[in-house]
Amino acid sequence: MSPQPNFRRVHRLTPLLRLWSVILALIAAFALNLNMEALRDIFAFITGEHRGEALRDTALALAGFIAVCAVVWLASGLWWRRMGYQLGAEELSLRRGLLSVQLRTARYDRTQAVDVVEPVIARLFRLAAVRVETAGGQSSVIEIAYLKKSDAEALRDDILARVHGAPTSQTEAPAEESAEEPAEEPALVPEIPIARSLIAAALRTSTLFLVGFLILVVVTRLPLSAALPILVGVLPTAWNVLDSSWRYTARTDGEVLNITYGLADRRRQSIRLDRIHAVQITQPFLWRPLGWYEVRVSVAGYGASASGKASGSTRILPVGTLAQARQFLPADAAPTYASPARAKWVSPLDYRQQTVALTGGYVIVRNGRLNRRVKAIHTSHIQELTYRRGPISQALGLATVGLDLVQGPVRMDARNLTLADATALLTQLRSRQLPDFKPPR
């Protein structure tokens, strides 16, 4: 039975891969029950000592395990037959559910990104999932899982073609257009060497803190109960740096930025260039001798889920050279405004690095002495403006102009300017041209 007319089925292993943790628990329980005594009984039976009665319990346990596996397989088949997806004229549909049926749709004109994800368990079977990110809230991701990797790549290309209004696999392209394939764009970032990924992750402050803490635990014999919360808090940060840079590549395909990365879960992620609002280039202090930089972006539509696994990475250059990082900086210019000398009383470390530049419709903010940062945004992408003066700033005659952006890792403030500069900057930004509002359809 098909999930619905014109709906395509996902791979037969999909229900089992979604329940892989439960299946592993069943296998572990069976393995624990199959103790050494049972293994000796099996060995004695094979070698001809005819201890058939002793094998009865083992045989019953094995038969029970096989029966459970058969039930799980049959039950998963009922679930699988009710799963499917459909590419319509204007939207993608995903249907699933046996007792409670769920139908989710995503319009092509609301699609922000289409990614191919290979979780570590699925990679064992050469399967992948297709995640479609739409403009919405925390539940804005539709995942089609799982398909053969080649089918997932083809489905991604098909969806992207529909998003951009190009001919798809179901519509015939003109013969002269299909005769020659366009040359592939050169990579913005060639594959990052594994050694660089390892060194960059090791030179992170969080990683050094973790190593130092582990040494402290060993030397002082700190109880594991006291050390566990800190390890749980620090380990994900160190892992994320390594995972997001592992065999990373980036290239453009028309108006789409395609990035590929991942150690455990391999991911091919697409980001529409027109949805990138703000860019931040950072050089951590420990990377400075090596000349390495990191680039992160705020993407419209990722919203509150941008830090979760459903949305992709906002780190579009995990670790690279200055030349590679500058490819993602839309503009650059000499400072228009800078913090005065008296700002050292509120920003003693980096007051000399706090500058703002206005050029070609872009705002470029620099700050940071230890970790150097350059941030850029087009004025049309600034959501709101905030003028702030705390008690100390008022006494020093300083003000900060805050730029409110879409949710994401990039946050921009023109910090600790003179009152005249802050007022002039605020006046210029208030006159910015905003994009026309288009209500969602």
PDB file of all heavy atoms in Angstrom, residues 282-307:
ATOM      1  N   THR A 282      36.639  36.458  12.509  1.00  0.00           N
ATOM      2  CA  THR A 282      37.280  36.438  13.825  1.00  0.00           C
ATOM      3  C   THR A 282      38.644  35.779  13.716  1.00  0.00           C
ATOM      4  O   THR A 282      38.789  34.762  13.018  1.00  0.00           O
ATOM      5  CB  THR A 282      36.419  35.662  14.843  1.00  0.00           C
ATOM      6  OG1 THR A 282      35.105  36.219  14.870  1.00  0.00           O
ATOM      7  CG2 THR A 282      37.030  35.733  16.241  1.00  0.00           C
ATOM      8  N   GLN A 283      39.601  36.346  14.419  1.00  0.00           N
ATOM      9  CA  GLN A 283      40.913  35.710  14.544  1.00  0.00           C
ATOM     10  C   GLN A 283      41.192  35.478  16.028  1.00  0.00           C
ATOM     11  O   GLN A 283      41.574  36.400  16.747  1.00  0.00           O
ATOM     12  CB  GLN A 283      42.032  36.566  13.946  1.00  0.00           C
ATOM     13  CG  GLN A 283      43.388  35.844  13.961  1.00  0.00           C
ATOM     14  CD  GLN A 283      44.508  36.678  13.371  1.00  0.00           C
ATOM     15  OE1 GLN A 283      44.620  37.856  13.648  1.00  0.00           O
ATOM     16  NE2 GLN A 283      45.349  36.041  12.560  1.00  0.00           N
ATOM     17  N   PRO A 284      40.988  34.239  16.517  1.00  0.00           N
ATOM     18  CA  PRO A 284      41.307  33.944  17.911  1.00  0.00           C
ATOM     19  C   PRO A 284      42.783  34.217  18.210  1.00  0.00           C
ATOM     20  O   PRO A 284      43.646  34.075  17.336  1.00  0.00           O
ATOM     21  CB  PRO A 284      40.962  32.456  18.037  1.00  0.00           C
ATOM     22  CG  PRO A 284      39.964  32.203  16.946  1.00  0.00           C
ATOM     23  CD  PRO A 284      40.382  33.099  15.828  1.00  0.00           C
ATOM     24  N   PHE A 285      43.050  34.575  19.441  1.00  0.00           N
ATOM     25  CA  PHE A 285      44.404  34.976  19.833  1.00  0.00           C
ATOM     26  C   PHE A 285      45.425  33.872  19.555  1.00  0.00           C
ATOM     27  O   PHE A 285      46.523  34.131  19.048  1.00  0.00           O
ATOM     28  CB  PHE A 285      44.409  35.339  21.324  1.00  0.00           C
ATOM     29  CG  PHE A 285      45.769  35.662  21.871  1.00  0.00           C
ATOM     30  CD1 PHE A 285      46.411  36.847  21.531  1.00  0.00           C
ATOM     31  CD2 PHE A 285      46.426  34.775  22.715  1.00  0.00           C
ATOM     32  CE1 PHE A 285      47.669  37.146  22.022  1.00  0.00           C
ATOM     33  CE2 PHE A 285      47.686  35.057  23.213  1.00  0.00           C
ATOM     34  CZ  PHE A 285      48.307  36.256  22.865  1.00  0.00           C
ATOM     35  N   LEU A 286      45.066  32.625  19.843  1.00  0.00           N
ATOM     36  CA  LEU A 286      46.008  31.529  19.682  1.00  0.00           C
ATOM     37  C   LEU A 286      46.209  31.148  18.211  1.00  0.00           C
ATOM     38  O   LEU A 286      47.151  30.418  17.895  1.00  0.00           O
ATOM     39  CB  LEU A 286      45.534  30.302  20.480  1.00  0.00           C
ATOM     40  CG  LEU A 286      45.487  30.501  22.000  1.00  0.00           C
ATOM     41  CD1 LEU A 286      44.887  29.282  22.688  1.00  0.00           C
ATOM     42  CD2 LEU A 286      46.882  30.770  22.547  1.00  0.00           C
ATOM     43  N   TRP A 287      45.338  31.619  17.319  1.00  0.00           N
ATOM     44  CA  TRP A 287      45.505  31.344  15.894  1.00  0.00           C
ATOM     45  C   TRP A 287      46.379  32.400  15.222  1.00  0.00           C
ATOM     46  O   TRP A 287      46.763  32.237  14.064  1.00  0.00           O
ATOM     47  CB  TRP A 287      44.150  31.320  15.188  1.00  0.00           C
ATOM     48  CG  TRP A 287      43.296  30.144  15.531  1.00  0.00           C
ATOM     49  CD1 TRP A 287      43.529  29.193  16.492  1.00  0.00           C
ATOM     50  CD2 TRP A 287      42.052  29.794  14.920  1.00  0.00           C
ATOM     51  NE1 TRP A 287      42.513  28.281  16.523  1.00  0.00           N
ATOM     52  CE2 TRP A 287      41.592  28.621  15.577  1.00  0.00           C
ATOM     53  CE3 TRP A 287      41.282  30.352  13.914  1.00  0.00           C
ATOM     54  CZ2 TRP A 287      40.388  28.008  15.223  1.00  0.00           C
ATOM     55  CZ3 TRP A 287      40.092  29.752  13.569  1.00  0.00           C
ATOM     56  CH2 TRP A 287      39.650  28.581  14.210  1.00  0.00           C
ATOM     57  N   ARG A 288      46.667  33.499  15.910  1.00  0.00           N
ATOM     58  CA  ARG A 288      47.340  34.621  15.274  1.00  0.00           C
ATOM     59  C   ARG A 288      48.712  34.256  14.704  1.00  0.00           C
ATOM     60  O   ARG A 288      49.037  34.655  13.578  1.00  0.00           O
ATOM     61  CB  ARG A 288      47.455  35.775  16.274  1.00  0.00           C
ATOM     62  CG  ARG A 288      47.719  37.118  15.629  1.00  0.00           C
ATOM     63  CD  ARG A 288      47.663  38.233  16.645  1.00  0.00           C
ATOM     64  NE  ARG A 288      46.368  38.319  17.295  1.00  0.00           N
ATOM     65  CZ  ARG A 288      46.108  39.140  18.300  1.00  0.00           C
ATOM     66  NH1 ARG A 288      47.061  39.929  18.778  1.00  0.00           N
ATOM     67  NH2 ARG A 288      44.902  39.170  18.827  1.00  0.00           N
ATOM     68  N   PRO A 289      49.549  33.492  15.409  1.00  0.00           N
ATOM     69  CA  PRO A 289      50.850  33.137  14.813  1.00  0.00           C
ATOM     70  C   PRO A 289      50.727  32.319  13.533  1.00  0.00           C
ATOM     71  O   PRO A 289      51.622  32.352  12.682  1.00  0.00           O
ATOM     72  CB  PRO A 289      51.534  32.330  15.932  1.00  0.00           C
ATOM     73  CG  PRO A 289      50.864  32.760  17.191  1.00  0.00           C
ATOM     74  CD  PRO A 289      49.440  33.019  16.807  1.00  0.00           C
ATOM     75  N   LEU A 290      49.610  31.585  13.384  1.00  0.00           N
ATOM     76  CA  LEU A 290      49.411  30.746  12.205  1.00  0.00           C
ATOM     77  C   LEU A 290      48.678  31.478  11.080  1.00  0.00           C
ATOM     78  O   LEU A 290      48.554  30.940   9.971  1.00  0.00           O
ATOM     79  CB  LEU A 290      48.637  29.479  12.593  1.00  0.00           C
ATOM     80  CG  LEU A 290      49.317  28.595  13.652  1.00  0.00           C
ATOM     81  CD1 LEU A 290      48.370  27.491  14.114  1.00  0.00           C
ATOM     82  CD2 LEU A 290      50.592  27.990  13.098  1.00  0.00           C
ATOM     83  N   GLY A 291      48.170  32.676  11.365  1.00  0.00           N
ATOM     84  CA  GLY A 291      47.471  33.444  10.341  1.00  0.00           C
ATOM     85  C   GLY A 291      46.140  32.850   9.931  1.00  0.00           C
ATOM     86  O   GLY A 291      45.739  32.973   8.770  1.00  0.00           O
ATOM     87  N   TRP A 292      45.410  32.241  10.879  1.00  0.00           N
ATOM     88  CA  TRP A 292      44.136  31.601  10.572  1.00  0.00           C
ATOM     89  C   TRP A 292      42.974  32.460  11.040  1.00  0.00           C
ATOM     90  O   TRP A 292      43.076  33.194  12.033  1.00  0.00           O
ATOM     91  CB  TRP A 292      44.051  30.225  11.230  1.00  0.00           C
ATOM     92  CG  TRP A 292      44.988  29.228  10.636  1.00  0.00           C
ATOM     93  CD1 TRP A 292      45.637  29.316   9.444  1.00  0.00           C
ATOM     94  CD2 TRP A 292      45.379  27.975  11.215  1.00  0.00           C
ATOM     95  NE1 TRP A 292      46.411  28.198   9.226  1.00  0.00           N
ATOM     96  CE2 TRP A 292      46.272  27.358  10.309  1.00  0.00           C
ATOM     97  CE3 TRP A 292      45.077  27.313  12.391  1.00  0.00           C
ATOM     98  CZ2 TRP A 292      46.855  26.120  10.545  1.00  0.00           C
ATOM     99  CZ3 TRP A 292      45.644  26.086  12.640  1.00  0.00           C
ATOM    100  CH2 TRP A 292      46.526  25.488  11.725  1.00  0.00           C
ATOM    101  N   TYR A 293      41.839  32.328  10.345  1.00  0.00           N
ATOM    102  CA  TYR A 293      40.633  33.108  10.636  1.00  0.00           C
ATOM    103  C   TYR A 293      39.404  32.205  10.570  1.00  0.00           C
ATOM    104  O   TYR A 293      39.423  31.139   9.952  1.00  0.00           O
ATOM    105  CB  TYR A 293      40.480  34.261   9.637  1.00  0.00           C
ATOM    106  CG  TYR A 293      41.562  35.310   9.722  1.00  0.00           C
ATOM    107  CD1 TYR A 293      42.804  35.096   9.110  1.00  0.00           C
ATOM    108  CD2 TYR A 293      41.360  36.498  10.407  1.00  0.00           C
ATOM    109  CE1 TYR A 293      43.806  36.051   9.175  1.00  0.00           C
ATOM    110  CE2 TYR A 293      42.365  37.461  10.481  1.00  0.00           C
ATOM    111  CZ  TYR A 293      43.582  37.233   9.862  1.00  0.00           C
ATOM    112  OH  TYR A 293      44.583  38.169   9.937  1.00  0.00           O
ATOM    113  N   GLU A 294      38.333  32.696  11.198  1.00  0.00           N
ATOM    114  CA  GLU A 294      37.033  32.020  11.171  1.00  0.00           C
ATOM    115  C   GLU A 294      35.994  33.008  10.677  1.00  0.00           C
ATOM    116  O   GLU A 294      36.049  34.191  11.013  1.00  0.00           O
ATOM    117  CB  GLU A 294      36.671  31.526  12.572  1.00  0.00           C
ATOM    118  CG  GLU A 294      35.273  30.936  12.699  1.00  0.00           C
ATOM    119  CD  GLU A 294      34.868  30.726  14.147  1.00  0.00           C
ATOM    120  OE1 GLU A 294      34.606  31.725  14.843  1.00  0.00           O
ATOM    121  OE2 GLU A 294      34.824  29.566  14.586  1.00  0.00           O
ATOM    122  N   VAL A 295      35.024  32.526   9.869  1.00  0.00           N
ATOM    123  CA  VAL A 295      33.952  33.373   9.358  1.00  0.00           C
ATOM    124  C   VAL A 295      32.612  32.755   9.749  1.00  0.00           C
ATOM    125  O   VAL A 295      32.363  31.578   9.486  1.00  0.00           O
ATOM    126  CB  VAL A 295      34.024  33.527   7.826  1.00  0.00           C
ATOM    127  CG1 VAL A 295      32.871  34.402   7.331  1.00  0.00           C
ATOM    128  CG2 VAL A 295      35.356  34.129   7.403  1.00  0.00           C
ATOM    129  N   ARG A 296      31.769  33.576  10.380  1.00  0.00           N
ATOM    130  CA  ARG A 296      30.411  33.160  10.721  1.00  0.00           C
ATOM    131  C   ARG A 296      29.427  34.161  10.140  1.00  0.00           C
ATOM    132  O   ARG A 296      29.764  35.330   9.923  1.00  0.00           O
ATOM    133  CB  ARG A 296      30.235  33.047  12.237  1.00  0.00           C
ATOM    134  CG  ARG A 296      31.210  32.066  12.873  1.00  0.00           C
ATOM    135  CD  ARG A 296      30.796  31.696  14.280  1.00  0.00           C
ATOM    136  NE  ARG A 296      29.605  30.861  14.255  1.00  0.00           N
ATOM    137  CZ  ARG A 296      29.048  30.345  15.355  1.00  0.00           C
ATOM    138  NH1 ARG A 296      29.574  30.605  16.539  1.00  0.00           N
ATOM    139  NH2 ARG A 296      27.980  29.593  15.270  1.00  0.00           N
ATOM    140  N   VAL A 297      28.199  33.706   9.911  1.00  0.00           N
ATOM    141  CA  VAL A 297      27.179  34.555   9.304  1.00  0.00           C
ATOM    142  C   VAL A 297      25.860  34.401  10.059  1.00  0.00           C
ATOM    143  O   VAL A 297      25.605  33.375  10.697  1.00  0.00           O
ATOM    144  CB  VAL A 297      26.961  34.206   7.816  1.00  0.00           C
ATOM    145  CG1 VAL A 297      28.184  34.543   6.998  1.00  0.00           C
ATOM    146  CG2 VAL A 297      26.581  32.731   7.647  1.00  0.00           C
ATOM    147  N   SER A 298      25.046  35.438   9.957  1.00  0.00           N
ATOM    148  CA  SER A 298      23.654  35.364  10.413  1.00  0.00           C
ATOM    149  C   SER A 298      22.782  35.220   9.179  1.00  0.00           C
ATOM    150  O   SER A 298      22.868  36.028   8.251  1.00  0.00           O
ATOM    151  CB  SER A 298      23.274  36.617  11.201  1.00  0.00           C
ATOM    152  OG  SER A 298      23.944  36.657  12.447  1.00  0.00           O
ATOM    153  N   VAL A 299      21.948  34.181   9.171  1.00  0.00           N
ATOM    154  CA  VAL A 299      21.137  33.847   8.001  1.00  0.00           C
ATOM    155  C   VAL A 299      19.668  34.067   8.328  1.00  0.00           C
ATOM    156  O   VAL A 299      19.155  33.509   9.296  1.00  0.00           O
ATOM    157  CB  VAL A 299      21.372  32.391   7.566  1.00  0.00           C
ATOM    158  CG1 VAL A 299      20.554  32.066   6.317  1.00  0.00           C
ATOM    159  CG2 VAL A 299      22.847  32.138   7.318  1.00  0.00           C
ATOM    160  N   ALA A 300      18.998  34.871   7.537  1.00  0.00           N
ATOM    161  CA  ALA A 300      17.572  35.098   7.721  1.00  0.00           C
ATOM    162  C   ALA A 300      16.812  33.799   7.490  1.00  0.00           C
ATOM    163  O   ALA A 300      17.048  33.095   6.511  1.00  0.00           O
ATOM    164  CB  ALA A 300      17.076  36.176   6.768  1.00  0.00           C
ATOM    165  N   GLY A 301      15.905  33.487   8.405  1.00  0.00           N
ATOM    166  CA  GLY A 301      15.110  32.267   8.271  1.00  0.00           C
ATOM    167  C   GLY A 301      15.579  31.152   9.169  1.00  0.00           C
ATOM    168  O   GLY A 301      14.799  30.254   9.481  1.00  0.00           O
ATOM    169  N   TYR A 302      16.860  31.175   9.595  1.00  0.00           N
ATOM    170  CA  TYR A 302      17.322  30.142  10.515  1.00  0.00           C
ATOM    171  C   TYR A 302      16.711  30.365  11.886  1.00  0.00           C
ATOM    172  O   TYR A 302      16.385  29.435  12.591  1.00  0.00           O
ATOM    173  CB  TYR A 302      18.849  30.149  10.618  1.00  0.00           C
ATOM    174  CG  TYR A 302      19.525  29.331   9.532  1.00  0.00           C
ATOM    175  CD1 TYR A 302      18.836  28.967   8.396  1.00  0.00           C
ATOM    176  CD2 TYR A 302      20.833  28.926   9.666  1.00  0.00           C
ATOM    177  CE1 TYR A 302      19.455  28.216   7.407  1.00  0.00           C
ATOM    178  CE2 TYR A 302      21.462  28.174   8.679  1.00  0.00           C
ATOM    179  CZ  TYR A 302      20.767  27.825   7.554  1.00  0.00           C
ATOM    180  OH  TYR A 302      21.376  27.090   6.582  1.00  0.00           O
ATOM    181  N   GLY A 303      16.581  31.622  12.285  1.00  0.00           N
ATOM    182  CA  GLY A 303      15.859  31.966  13.501  1.00  0.00           C
ATOM    183  C   GLY A 303      16.395  31.283  14.726  1.00  0.00           C
ATOM    184  O   GLY A 303      17.587  31.042  14.892  1.00  0.00           O
ATOM    185  N   ALA A 304      15.464  30.949  15.659  1.00  0.00           N
ATOM    186  CA  ALA A 304      15.851  30.415  16.962  1.00  0.00           C
ATOM    187  C   ALA A 304      16.445  29.032  16.857  1.00  0.00           C
ATOM    188  O   ALA A 304      17.118  28.566  17.767  1.00  0.00           O
ATOM    189  CB  ALA A 304      14.630  30.377  17.889  1.00  0.00           C
ATOM    190  N   SER A 305      16.198  28.336  15.753  1.00  0.00           N
ATOM    191  CA  SER A 305      16.716  26.974  15.624  1.00  0.00           C
ATOM    192  C   SER A 305      18.091  26.919  15.010  1.00  0.00           C
ATOM    193  O   SER A 305      18.619  25.851  14.736  1.00  0.00           O
ATOM    194  CB  SER A 305      15.750  26.139  14.769  1.00  0.00           C
ATOM    195  OG  SER A 305      15.715  26.631  13.456  1.00  0.00           O
ATOM    196  N   ALA A 306      18.724  28.058  14.806  1.00  0.00           N
ATOM    197  CA  ALA A 306      20.002  28.076  14.103  1.00  0.00           C
ATOM    198  C   ALA A 306      21.104  27.392  14.853  1.00  0.00           C
ATOM    199  O   ALA A 306      22.090  26.961  14.280  1.00  0.00           O
ATOM    200  CB  ALA A 306      20.414  29.519  13.807  1.00  0.00           C
ATOM    201  N   SER A 307      20.952  27.268  16.152  1.00  0.00           N
ATOM    202  CA  SER A 307      21.981  26.598  16.932  1.00  0.00           C
ATOM    203  C   SER A 307      21.716  25.110  17.083  1.00  0.00           C
ATOM    204  O   SER A 307      22.515  24.377  17.637  1.00  0.00           O
ATOM    205  CB  SER A 307      22.093  27.245  18.330  1.00  0.00           C
ATOM    206  OG  SER A 307      20.853  27.143  19.006  1.00  0.00           O
TER     207      SER A 307
END
